Amino acid sequence: MALVSRRHVTAGLGAAAISPFAIRRARAAEFTYKYANNLAPTHPLNKRAHEAAQKIKDDTKGRFELQIFPLSQLGSDTDTLGQIRSGAVDFFTLSGLILSTLVPAAAINGVGFAFDGYDTVWKAMDGELGKYVRDEIAKSRQIIAFEKIWDNGFRQTTTSTKPIQTPADFDGLKIRVPAAPLWTSMFKAFGAAPTTINFNEVYSSLQSKVVDAQENPYAIIDTAKLYEVQTYCSTTNHMWDGFWFLANRRNWEALPEDIRAVITKHINAAAVAERADVEALDKVLREQLIAKGMKFNDVKAADFRDKLRSANFYSEWKQKFGDKAWSTLEASVGKLS
């Protein structure tokens, strides 16, 4: 556990042995906690987290220090999930789609074509659907989630052969997907041929035509230079993904109530600010990708929902998530199954 008690400088050490600066540093933080994430330091999430860390330090008068470890410095997502469960890491931001390996309900925000835009996303995730998922996370007994989920963006479809304009355009398409049942199930429902490939092999697989398509948010398409091996970007918005800000329950409850209140205030405010950052960045990235040669087209989401409905995708996942989870989702997004 990353709890650090206040250090006391004893009288016997003598003023000559320790400088005033060293004494201030020794007394700087009563509690020092670790926060891990898998994103680059330049991502809006880390920028806002650093701002929040400074505000927390200021408002607690130096009693609490949040140490940030970006870019999976403390281990892979799976490793770090284990660490936060044990208390070796205090805070961790993780996609609900990955968290679902521990808390199945956490994947529900990834249901295909469930959200028609950010207004619907925040209505659901700041409302009853988000509360339902947080309650399910809390049942793990080891971790809890903060109220505001952070944004990872909508996922888009890129191809080298033709744009995706209708559900029929997916028929037979060799598309790379992450190793998750929700992705495989959805693209099979469209008649595509989903293939699981590690992300570090995606570029070469597209280049060598092992697959002809992939799906990711704009930021990933840009930073991975997928525009070099893909011609079309169809703004399918087929899945929305976010990051839950998780805390180890035991370490969290070890903090004084007043410090927990300050942390909660600034972490939730940072999440809301990061959402606006990501939405603004998406608009900029689209223009940048067009300048780099990608051809964009928008799609009619209703047609894709109808196809998933007729292929029994929604009824299948309603059964897997359960009636309560599904009815909570539909209360925010409308009828799916």
Side-chain angles (χ1 to χ4, degrees), residues 76 86 111 168 182 269 283 294 310:
S76 67
S86 70
V111 169
L182 200 56
K283 295 175 183 177
M294 292 203 86
S310 65

Side-chain angles (χ1 to χ4, degrees), residues 94-271:
L94 184 65
S95 162
L97 300 172
I98 299 173
L99 180 59
S100 65
T101 58
L102 175 66
V103 183
I108 197 164
N109 61 264
V111 169
F113 292 91
F115 300 109
D116 58 13
Y118 274 119
D119 287 346
T120 309
V121 168
W122 305 135
K123 174 187 174 184
M125 302 313 294
D126 289 341
E128 289 303 312
L129 185 64
K131 181 180 183 302
Y132 174 80
V133 175
R134 292 195 306 276
D135 288 346
E136 291 296 302
I137 293 170
K139 288 179 183 178
S140 72
R141 298 182 181 275
Q142 298 161 322
I143 56 176
I144 60 171
F146 281 65
E147 181 181 1
K148 300 296 184 181
I149 192 170
W150 300 53
D151 190 20
N152 191 27
F154 282 95
R155 302 178 77 91
Q156 317 299 348
T157 307
T158 70
T159 60
S160 60
T161 53
K162 61 182 179 181
I164 302 299
Q165 296 175 316
T166 70
D169 292 321
F170 275 120
D171 192 39
L173 183 70
K174 295 183 295 181
I175 183 168
R176 178 267 174 182
V177 298
L182 200 56
W183 269 275
T184 302
S185 175
M186 185 185 73
F187 285 107
K188 281 185 175 179
F190 286 129
T195 303
T196 298
I197 298 172
N198 290 333
F199 184 73
N200 60 0
E201 299 173 359
V202 169
Y203 185 100
S204 61
S205 297
L206 292 167
Q207 189 176 41
S208 61
K209 305 298 182 183
V210 172
V211 289
D212 295 315
Q214 68 84 50
E215 52 79 55
N216 260 303
Y218 289 144
I220 301 298
I221 296 168
D222 184 59
T223 57
K225 299 185 177 181
L226 300 183
Y227 52 82
E228 294 180 349
V229 288
Q230 298 277 266
T231 303
Y232 304 98
C233 183
S234 302
T235 54
T236 46
N237 290 325
H238 53 274
M239 284 182 176
W240 175 82
D241 190 18
F243 297 107
W244 286 109
F245 201 101
L246 306 172
N248 174 271
R249 181 193 291 273
R250 185 178 68 249
N251 296 2
W252 175 249
E253 292 178 349
L255 291 169
E257 187 175 343
D258 60 331
I259 289 182
R260 277 186 279 161
V262 171
I263 295 169
T264 299
K265 171 186 172 182
H266 289 300
I267 292 299
N268 283 333

Side-chain angles (χ1 to χ4, degrees), residues 23-36:
I23 293 174
R24 286 197 299 272
R25 283 199 61 181
R27 293 178 175 175
E30 184 177 352
F31 305 95
T32 300
Y33 274 39
K34 296 178 181 178
Y35 160 49

